């Protein structure tokens, strides 16, 4: 496929789509330097269109990662539950063993296990996440994203109308059957975060509807029986992870993935635990707004605080 070109006076970004519905690589920009207003606008437009954009050979340090991110919004603290890198309140370390040595003995592994939208247990999940690859295995360790807008559009019309009126409860909880996770479990217990969100989220910039069903965090649908909730969620989770809605990204050192966390879910790799290679990435997230459903109702917090800006946290 040939790359579409966007020509500006001060820059030329080349946008190379990677699949039909989601994901594009952006070439022709140096992220270690301040971006022009035109470059920021073009990257934002590509993000809205392609949901996740990727950059190659951008060898940023922590300060440059923060500076690049800050051109698109206010940075949150690295992670509201799991903290941040020492000396860098805005950066979350995605190390190979950050949650556990490995997840063993899970009672129920299903095709959507592990898929999630970042921090949807908070009432204002981040608007975007920016993930930087530093130590990358020679093979294995790919990340996948899915487009929740196309997933919504591809439901039948009666089911779209049905889910438009539903809401669900999202919470952080250790994965069932996870082993070696005492630090993980105690961090979750000390930072309880629970929120109710609409199952369909109206995008604040584009007005599009996204099927907002973060498989890792959405625990039940409000106002229906437990069995109804389970059956409906399994149907929706199976649907949002259909391969034709997804893109799979092969990391290299210096790769950056920047995704719209309002319209995507993603899957971190687990094949890295079958390999001896190390894997280290770092993530920033940008402060998000409170989701609103098609009926105009906003999400509500059940427990815990909104995800604030890192600057405010650093002052505490
Ligand atoms: C994440 O969930 O943000 C991390 C994805 C990855 O490790 O590839």
């Amino acid at each position: 496929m040939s790359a579409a070109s966007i020509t500006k006076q001060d820059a030329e970004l080349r946008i190379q789509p990677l699949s039909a519905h989601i994901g594009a690589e952006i070439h022709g920009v140096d992220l270690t330097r301040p971006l022009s207003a035109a470059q920021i606008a073009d990257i934002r437009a590509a993000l809205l269109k392609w949901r996740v954009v990727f950059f190659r050979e951008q060898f940023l340090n922590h300060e440059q990662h923060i500076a690049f991110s800050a051109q698109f919004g206010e940075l949150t603290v690295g992670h509201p539950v799991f903290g941040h890198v020492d000396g860098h309140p805005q950066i979350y370390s995605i190390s190979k063993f950050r949650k556990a040595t490995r997840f063993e003995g899970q009672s129920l592994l299903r095709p959507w296990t592990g898929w999630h939208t970042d921090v949807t247990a908070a009432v204002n999940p981040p608007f975007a996440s920016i993930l930087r690859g530093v130590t990358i295995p020679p093979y294995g360790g790919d990340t996948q994203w899915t487009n929740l807008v196309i997933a919504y559009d591809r439901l039948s019309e009666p089911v779209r109308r049905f889910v438009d009126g539903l809401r669900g409860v999202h919470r952080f909880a250790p994965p069932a059957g996870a082993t070696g996770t005492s630090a993980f479990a105690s961090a979750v217990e000390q930072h309880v975060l629970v929120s109710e969100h609409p199952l369909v989220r109206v995008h604040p910039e584009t007005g599009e509807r996204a099927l907002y069903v973060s498989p890792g965090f959405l625990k039940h649908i409000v106002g229906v029986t437990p069995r109804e909730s389970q059956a409906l969620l399994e149907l929706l989770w199976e649907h949002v992870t259909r391969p034709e809605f997804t893109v799979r990204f092969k990391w290299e050192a210096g790769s950056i993935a920047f995704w719209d966390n309002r319209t995507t879910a993603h899957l971190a790799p687990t094949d890295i635990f079958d390999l001896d290679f190390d894997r280290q990435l770092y993530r920033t997230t940008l402060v998000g707004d409170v989701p609103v459903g098609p009926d105009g109702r906003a999400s509500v917090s059940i427990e815990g605080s909104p995800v604030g800006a890192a600057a405010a946290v650093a002052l505490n």
Side-chain angles (χ1 to χ4, degrees):
M1 199 182 308
S2 69
S5 283
I6 296 177
T7 305
K8 298 282 174 198
Q9 280 179 332
D10 57 350
E12 179 175 297
L13 299 187
R14 281 183 300 107
I15 299 183
Q16 172 75 59
L18 298 182
S19 77
H21 300 298
I22 182 169
E25 282 193 9
I26 300 185
H27 301 276
V29 61
D30 176 358
L31 303 188
T32 65
R33 299 172 49 195
L35 302 173
S36 68
Q39 287 173 320
I40 292 171
D42 289 346
I43 292 170
R44 280 197 87 105
L47 183 70
L48 291 179
K49 179 174 168 67
W50 292 105
R51 320 291 176 186
V52 53
V53 293
F54 305 104
F55 303 87
R56 298 279 188 190
E57 299 190 5
Q58 306 285 342
F59 298 96
L60 309 187
N61 58 28
H62 288 338
E63 285 75 21
Q64 290 166 330
H65 187 172
I66 291 166
F68 167 64
S69 307
Q71 295 171 98
F72 294 90
E74 201 173 12
L75 280 82
T76 71
V77 66
H79 195 289
V81 174
F82 304 118
H84 55 79
V85 167
D86 280 350
H88 294 283
Q90 305 91 337
I91 297 210
Y92 175 44
S93 168
I94 308 256
S95 62
K96 180 168 174 177
F97 297 116
R98 71 190 188 281
K99 290 182 183 166
T101 48
R102 64 189 295 151
F103 296 145
E104 281 170 344
Q106 290 196 6
S107 50
L108 196 54
L109 272 178
R110 295 164 305 179
W112 50 84
T113 299
W115 282 90
H116 66 282
T117 299
D118 283 332
V119 200
T120 59
V123 71
N124 64 332
F127 119 65
S129 301
I130 301 174
L131 186 60
R132 166 170 62 107
V134 173
T135 305
I136 302 300
Y139 52 90
D142 302 353
T143 309
Q144 295 171 70
W145 284 263
T146 190
N147 177 344
L148 301 178
V149 173
I150 190 80
Y152 176 81
D153 289 344
R154 294 289 165 94
L155 290 172
S156 65
E157 204 269 331
V159 173
R160 280 202 302 268
R161 266 192 284 129
F162 177 57
V163 295
D164 274 351
L166 295 177
R167 295 167 72 87
V169 172
H170 297 233
R171 77 167 65 229
F172 260 106
T179 58
T181 55
S182 54
F184 178 78
S186 75
V188 172
E189 275 158 27
Q190 283 164 31
H191 303 88
V192 177
L193 212 44
V194 188
S195 297
E196 181 186 301
H197 295 297
L199 251 64
V200 176
R201 177 177 186 175
V202 179
H203 197 287
E205 293 182 70
T206 64
E208 297 165 304
R209 294 182 184 192
L211 195 48
Y212 201 58
V213 294
S214 189
F217 295 120
L218 175 49
K219 301 304 175 195
H220 66 268
I221 297 177
V222 176
V224 303
T225 67
R227 178 68 187 122
E228 288 168 341
S229 175
Q230 180 194 19
L232 285 168
L233 287 177
E234 290 188 355
L235 176 83
L236 296 174
W237 289 334
E238 179 189 294
H239 178 74
V240 296
T241 53
R242 271 169 49 182
E244 66 270 34
F245 305 153
T246 72
V247 66
R248 181 174 183 134
F249 185 63
K250 197 154 275 305
W251 290 93
E252 296 168 345
S255 299
I256 305 251
F258 182 176
W259 63 93
D260 186 342
N261 198 50
R262 302 164 295 193
T263 57
T264 57
H266 56 280
L267 178 66
T270 50
D271 64 348
I272 51 175
F273 300 111
D274 300 331
L275 298 165
D276 289 333
F277 308 119
D278 199 6
R279 184 176 187 269
Q280 175 69 59
L281 300 90
Y282 293 97
R283 193 178 82 191
T284 57
T285 42
L286 303 178
V287 175
D289 54 5
V290 174
V292 174
D295 56 4
R297 281 178 70 201
S299 301
V300 292
S301 172
I302 296 173
E303 224 175 323
S305 311
V307 183
V313 173
L315 292 175
N316 290 336

